[in-house]
Amino acid sequence: MKQKGKTVAKGDLPTKICAQCARPFSWRKKWERDWSNVLYCSARCRADAAKRDRSAR
């Protein structure tokens, strides 16, 4: 059961390094159920990585 009103400071959120741009990014609510599979900080980095993979073939 979730507790209402319980907040976490931004500095205490988990972070990762983007696989495309190598910049750090923080956990977001929309990634709550899929955080272990998140690799890119944005849709742009995800698209750039896909372009790079297609051009390498």
Side-chain angles (χ1 to χ4, degrees):
M1 179 184 253
K2 283 188 173 181
Q3 294 179 355
K4 289 187 177 183
K6 189 174 183 181
T7 59
V8 177
K10 279 189 174 184
D12 294 337
L13 293 173
T15 61
K16 287 187 177 184
I17 303 296
C18 178
Q20 177 63 25
C21 67
R23 293 181 183 163
F25 64 98
S26 296
W27 181 89
R28 294 184 189 170
K29 178 71 175 171
K30 68 180 184 177
W31 294 329
E32 184 173 26
R33 287 184 270 154
D34 203 29
W35 179 244
S36 61
N37 297 321
V38 175
L39 299 175
Y40 306 108
C41 62
S42 65
R44 181 178 181 173
C45 281
R46 185 173 41 252
D48 287 349
K51 284 180 194 176
R52 185 189 66 210
D53 289 346
R54 278 184 269 157
S55 67
R57 292 180 186 182

